[in-house]
Every structure is written in C-alpha cells, then in structure tokens.
Amino acid sequence: MEHSNIQKWSAEFLGTFWLTFGGCGSAVLAAAFPNVGIGLLGVSLAFGLTVLTGAYAFGPISGGHFNPAVSVGLAVGGRFRWAELPGYVIAQTLGAIVAGFVLYQIATGKPGADVGGFATNGFGTHSPGGFSMTAAIWTEVVLTAVFLLIILGTTAKRAAAGFGGLAIGLALTLIHLISIPVTNTSVNPARSTGVAVFGPSIAIEQLWFFWVMPIVGAALGALIYKALLAGRED
C-alpha cells in the first residue's frame, strides 16, 4: 500500500517529535534528578528507545527516518527519492521544534526553573567535556556515517526481516554513549534544532555545524555502503 504524502509527513513529524521529546526530555528532566537520576547511560538508552519504538510505530508509513541526515543518506544510497526529501526535512524539523516547545513548557513549570543548556549540542565552550571543533567534526561525521551503514545494512533485502528497528535503536544508544561528552550527541539536525530554538544563544550560533556535519557523515556512510557493501538487490 502506498501511503499519501500527508501520511508520510505526519509519521515523520510524530516520530521526530517523539525522538526529540523522549531523548532530550530524559536529559533535561531526569538525567540529574536528585538521588535517582538516570545519568548518561539512561539518556543514551532513552534516545535509542525512542528510535526503536518510533521505527515500529511509524516506520511502516514513512520509513521511519526521523532525521534529515538519515533522509539525505538514504537518498544518496538510492533507498529514498530525492523529490521526497524537502517534505521529510520540513516535517522532521517541525516535529523537533514542537517537541522542544513542549519540553520547555514542562521544564520551566516550577519555581526558580533554570533549563541550563537544555540538551543542546555544541563544541568548544559549549561542549559538555570542553572538546574542540575538530574533535566534534570527527565525532559527528564518523558516528553519523556508521549510523547510515547500520541503517542500510539492517534494512537491506538480505537482512533478517523485522529486526532493523531494534538494531538501529541500539546503534543510536551506543552512539550516545560514545559522544555525549563531546557534542552532547547530535547526528540529527532536527533534534539539534528543536532544542536550540529554546536553549542558550550559543546553541543557535553553533547550530549550522549540527546540520552540516551529520549530513556530510550520512552521505559518506551511504557512499561507503554503495561502494563496498551493497548487493545487487540494493
């Protein structure tokens, strides 16, 4: 069954909303909650769980990208039509911004609320661990490239059917475990935008970086897959 554009855009909006709200919400609201905070491990798992659950809920409608870089990578890899890319990117970005808005309303809903960095991404002085732009480039490009390799590999026709969402969700968990200290983990321009709009000004100033580097990484991962790993059915 071919779904309409409205259905696909709605699925991408909702999936990206869920990813941003669930992942960033866990960081803003639960990561450092006194005595029982979930910490870095919990936040990493939360991001993975949003993609895993979203993939099975919305993936059958839109493909479950929830990420402009993934959409670009799939187009480069020949798995997605370029003509559909603008609609997906707009839906994903709007979904993330609405998630950021809802999260901001919750986070500021107590006396003396201070949202701090608001789960935004950054490098240099805005990196959680003080890592340089060079370190951030390596982190975002390499991890997004690997993410695309995993997506393309686990959704190929020769892959085990039905397990792609699980592998992709676990991959995103691992990506966060590696890179939260460096950039607070983007690999997703929409997720970065959704919270940057409501975060500190430096997050907006550095937002360009978290569009460019994940997209470069995604395209690179797709090209590597096509050149070295793709089968005839791909």
Side-chain angles (χ1 to χ4, degrees):
M1 174 182 175
E2 178 66 24
H3 295 281
S4 69
N5 283 334
I6 294 297
Q7 289 176 314
K8 292 177 181 178
W9 297 337
S10 297
E12 286 299 303
F13 177 96
L14 292 169
T16 313
F17 173 94
W18 180 229
L19 183 153
T20 305
F21 183 74
C24 295
S26 71
V28 172
L29 303 174
F33 195 76
N35 301 319
V36 293
I38 62 175
L40 186 152
L41 177 59
V43 173
S44 299
L45 185 59
F47 272 101
L49 287 173
T50 61
V51 168
L52 190 157
T53 54
Y56 289 112
F58 308 117
I61 299 170
S62 66
H65 302 183
F66 317 144
N67 181 339
V70 169
S71 296
V72 171
L74 291 174
V76 172
R79 301 274 190 90
F80 182 60
R81 295 192 294 269
W82 285 101
E84 293 191 74
L85 184 61
Y88 269 55
V89 171
I90 291 169
Q92 292 156 357
T93 304
L94 289 176
I97 291 172
V98 172
F101 172 79
V102 174
L103 179 58
Y104 186 81
Q105 301 309 307
I106 296 171
T108 56
K110 65 177 183 178
D114 179 10
V115 299
F118 201 56
T120 54
N121 302 114
F123 54 86
T125 58
H126 195 48
S127 159
F131 286 86
S132 68
M133 179 189 283
T134 300
I137 291 171
W138 280 104
T139 299
E140 291 294 327
V141 170
V142 171
L143 289 178
T144 313
V146 173
F147 194 38
L148 258 293
L149 288 169
I150 292 168
I151 290 170
L152 290 167
T154 58
T155 58
K157 291 181 179 179
R158 64 181 179 275
F163 289 96
L166 178 61
I168 293 164
L170 290 174
L172 191 61
T173 298
L174 179 55
I175 285 168
H176 278 78
L177 288 172
I178 296 167
S179 58
I180 284 177
V182 185
T183 62
N184 216 21
T185 312
S186 173
V187 303
N188 185 336
R191 165 263 187 270
S192 297
T193 303
V195 287
V197 170
F198 303 95
S201 60
I202 191 171
I204 287 291
E205 294 167 8
Q206 295 186 351
L207 182 58
W208 65 270
F209 181 95
F210 296 101
W211 275 87
V212 174
M213 298 308 159
I215 288 174
V216 169
L220 180 62
L223 291 172
I224 291 171
Y225 185 87
K226 285 180 69 175
L228 302 176
L229 303 174
R232 291 181 180 177
E233 67 275 17
D234 291 324

